[in-house]
Amino acid sequence: MNVIFDLGNVLVRWDPVAIVRSVIDGPGAVRLAQHLFVHPDWLEVDRGSLTLEQAAAQAIERTEVDEPIIHGIYAAVAPSLQTLPASVEILDDLKKQGHTLYALSNMGQVSAAYLQQHASFWSAFKDVVISSRVGLIKPEPAIFEAMLVQFGLVAADCLFIDDSKENVDAALALGLDAFVFQDAQQCRGELQARGLLGV
């Protein structure tokens, strides 16, 4: 089976509030995280149409937060993407069972380059599609279609794992098998139920 993994909150930690708090802690951390990471500008970073520098400049103007703080928060994003060991163990087990592994993730250029260089699991993937490299983002059907073309796969031969129900629903609509990732134990159970991993 071809198993396609999302990255954030599946194989690596993604915690915007913790990222903000690593630079400036206080009662406004949650609100600032929303302003920076739950905002159309951040989607454009994921799409590759805004650089981090451009997004930072617009965030400084929008939030009136001091420039060093905004730049510090954005600089902290990539190093915050720490591996989730129990999930990587699943990757290793799938590989041992002979399954082919891929990744499809909404992620900016800087974060993707960081993981490609530093994440031990990256080499487990036969191929990877990163949103900012193709100018498309999940859950747009076009990114799944582009992924299938790039990987040389048909939807019916693929299983997609993502922490977003919206992204999973988009994959299902295109004929992939898919499920929402909650945690490593649940993920392993879903894979066992499909006969992809031993009990």
Side-chain angles (χ1 to χ4, degrees), residues 3-15 78 80-94 101-105 107 115 118-128 130 138 160-164 181-184 187-188 191:
V3 186
I4 304 160
F5 282 84
D6 177 35
L7 297 177
N9 275 340
V10 176
L11 291 170
V12 297
R13 185 175 184 238
W14 170 243
D15 189 340
S80 79
L81 302 173
Q82 295 299 305
T83 297
L84 299 173
S87 295
V88 174
E89 187 176 318
I90 290 172
L91 267 189
D92 293 339
D93 290 346
L94 284 168
L101 308 178
Y102 299 87
L104 170 65
S105 187
M107 187 170 286
L115 284 182
H118 295 284
S120 59
F121 61 77
W122 197 272
S123 61
F125 298 126
K126 182 176 180 181
D127 202 354
V128 173
I130 299 294
K138 297 177 292 183
F160 176 62
I161 303 170
D162 196 298
D163 67 311
S164 161
F181 179 94
Q182 298 171 19
D183 56 43
C187 179
R188 187 174 288 278
L191 292 165

Side-chain angles (χ1 to χ4, degrees), residues 1-67:
M1 175 63 76
N2 303 293
V3 186
I4 304 160
F5 282 84
D6 177 35
L7 297 177
N9 275 340
V10 176
L11 291 170
V12 297
R13 185 175 184 238
W14 170 243
D15 189 340
V17 175
I19 292 168
V20 171
R21 284 180 172 153
S22 74
V23 176
I24 179 170
D25 202 359
V30 173
R31 187 163 173 264
L32 183 53
Q34 290 174 334
H35 276 301
L36 296 180
F37 299 111
V38 188
H39 188 276
D41 281 0
W42 189 250
L43 285 181
E44 295 310 309
V45 171
D46 279 350
R47 191 185 292 278
S49 57
L50 271 186
T51 66
L52 272 184
E53 291 76 14
Q54 291 167 331
Q58 293 179 192
I60 290 161
E61 186 176 342
R62 185 174 71 248
T63 63
E64 298 182 349
V65 175
D66 290 345
E67 186 172 339

Side-chain angles (χ1 to χ4, degrees), residues 4 104 106 137-148 155 158-180:
I4 304 160
L104 170 65
N106 285 353
I137 56 173
K138 297 177 292 183
E140 295 168 354
I143 194 171
F144 292 95
E145 292 162 355
M147 174 198 73
L148 292 171
C158 299
L159 169 64
F160 176 62
I161 303 170
D162 196 298
D163 67 311
S164 161
K165 184 179 185 300
E166 192 176 14
N167 295 342
V168 165
D169 287 345
L172 290 168
L174 289 170
L176 291 83
D177 187 13
F179 64 82
V180 178

